[in-house]
Amino acid sequence: MVTKPAAVDAPTPSQDLRLALAAVRTEVGKSVVGQDAAVSGLVVALLCRGHVLLEGVPGVAKTLLVRSLAHALELSTKRVQFTPDLMPGDVTGSLVYDARTAEFSFRPGPVFTNLLLADEINRTPPKTQASLLEAMEERQVSVDGEPRALPDPFLVIATQNPVEYEGTYALPEAQLDRFLLKLTLPVPERDDEVEVLARHAAGFDPRDLVAAGIRPVAGVETLARARAEVAQVQVAREVLGYAVDVCRATRQSPSLSLGVSPRGATALLATARAWAWLSGRGYVTPDDVKALAHPTLRHRVQLRAEAELEGVSTESVLDTVLASVPVPR
């Protein structure tokens, strides 16, 4: 197993920064039970400046998770409930005529925030879904031909119900590819669900995060310093080759009609570096690539119709791909 890039002194991640982000996960856990993997995934996305797609049935604390994360990091957050009649201007903002000055002025939409919670994004038609594309890719919106920069950090955290639910529109591939990670929030285990009910019985109010004991433990400066360190995490050429081979193998899978694009390969590299840093290492190993392969790649591939009829899942195809690609030593 490759452990360290040859002839390179890998930097050691700062202990104080790692502890600060670990504290963020602890604070979020005060309100959200049994979703530790999703919390870790959101921290990885923040370090990579990438957007996240959260998928789960209604009622598994997707919205509460985002609100708790924003509170623990002292970030601004806004929520947009996507509906079939939502217009693009309702998200990005629009020009409003002021009768007093006889001029048009720009009224910013909810996209002007640090964490934008796009709730049930697949309940709105593709035209409005696409209104987020420029914001996600360029971190700006253009209104009347004038670009307007968004705050930094800026993350879209979109929730969606499983696509087989009534009244949903599948996201187009071009937009899916803009999401760094797709995190699934399962129904909690029995013990976790009992803990949820126990907290509510004790007076927990999901609308009052301060009363829940969640406190700010990090901020924009902490994130900026952590991102700078993640950018210095070293990757051996053999590990780069392994990440590429994993992505190329998806393009050759007989169960897939769409494999991972080169953008997906760069996303896998970014998330693996962030995971290595969070693990206390200044270099990436193949295990880091494996650990982030599912959440980084699951939404970038598409099953063939015959594979779906046979009951094949995206997760099982990715498992097969990871098992078939030789791991560098």
Side-chain angles (χ1 to χ4, degrees):
M1 191 74 71
V2 174
T3 57
K4 194 170 183 178
V8 173
D9 292 326
T12 302
S14 299
Q15 185 74 0
D16 62 325
L17 293 178
R18 290 180 56 241
L19 289 176
L21 290 179
V24 169
R25 289 184 277 185
T26 300
E27 292 301 309
V28 174
K30 293 178 180 178
S31 63
V32 180
V33 180
Q35 303 292 0
D36 294 340
V39 176
S40 296
L42 287 173
V43 172
V44 167
L46 282 165
L47 291 173
C48 298
R49 301 179 79 239
H51 309 290
V52 177
L53 187 62
L54 295 180
E55 183 174 277
V57 297
V60 291
K62 297 188 293 291
T63 303
L64 179 60
L65 174 59
V66 176
R67 291 180 56 242
S68 301
L69 181 68
H71 190 76
L73 284 166
E74 287 191 291
L75 298 177
S76 63
T77 181
K78 293 180 182 176
R79 174 181 175 273
V80 179
Q81 177 65 53
F82 279 71
T83 58
D85 59 350
L86 192 74
M87 299 298 291
D90 297 330
V91 177
T92 60
S94 57
L95 294 176
V96 178
Y97 182 73
D98 188 340
R100 292 172 298 178
T101 61
E103 294 180 348
F104 285 93
S105 61
F106 177 66
R107 179 178 293 172
V111 75
F112 287 86
T113 187
N114 295 129
L115 299 183
L116 175 67
L117 176 58
D119 217 354
E120 295 188 305
I121 190 174
N122 59 338
R123 286 206 181 279
T124 200
K127 180 179 180 180
T128 305
Q129 291 174 1
S131 68
L132 281 177
L133 274 178
E134 182 187 12
M136 293 170 66
E137 188 69 15
E138 306 295 337
R139 285 177 163 75
Q140 68 174 30
V141 295
S142 296
V143 178
D144 197 30
E146 182 180 345
R148 301 174 188 272
L150 297 173
D152 183 36
F154 170 72
L155 260 70
V156 172
I157 303 176
T159 71
Q160 70 171 12
N161 297 323
V163 293
E164 60 269 17
Y165 270 54
E166 184 177 355
T168 60
Y169 300 81
L171 293 175
E173 289 81 2
Q175 186 162 3
L176 281 173
D177 208 30
R178 260 67 175 192
F179 286 101
L180 180 73
L181 298 171
K182 179 182 177 182
L183 305 175
T184 57
L185 275 70
V187 175
E189 299 290 336
R190 182 181 183 278
D191 289 346
D192 290 331
E193 196 165 357
V194 169
E195 175 62 22
V196 170
L197 265 62
R199 293 186 182 189
H200 279 266
F204 171 71
D205 183 358
R207 290 171 292 276
D208 190 351
L209 298 180
V210 175
I214 299 178
R215 56 191 178 86
V217 292
V220 174
E221 183 184 353
T222 303
L223 280 177
R225 290 170 56 207
R227 286 172 177 169
E229 288 199 2
V230 169
Q232 300 303 314
V233 171
Q234 303 297 315
V235 192
R237 193 166 184 85
E238 294 86 350
V239 179
L240 291 175
Y242 176 65
V244 167
D245 289 342
V246 168
C247 295
R248 291 178 68 86
T250 64
R251 302 169 202 162
Q252 300 164 2
S253 171
S255 299
L256 299 176
S257 60
L258 178 68
V260 177
S261 69
R263 182 191 283 128
T266 61
L268 182 56
L269 169 62
T271 57
R273 292 174 87 179
W275 188 251
W277 184 87
L278 285 170
S279 302
R281 282 179 280 100
Y283 55 91
V284 177
T285 70
D287 285 339
D288 298 321
V289 176
K290 283 186 175 182
L292 273 298
H294 280 270
T296 308
L297 305 181
R298 59 167 58 113
H299 57 297
R300 304 175 192 273
V301 299
Q302 196 170 80
L303 287 171
R304 294 188 184 276
E306 52 269 31
E308 287 191 81
L309 291 174
E310 293 171 2
V312 176
S313 69
T314 300
E315 306 299 318
S316 64
V317 172
L318 290 176
D319 283 335
T320 301
V321 166
L322 289 171
S324 66
V325 176
V327 178
R329 298 284 177 181

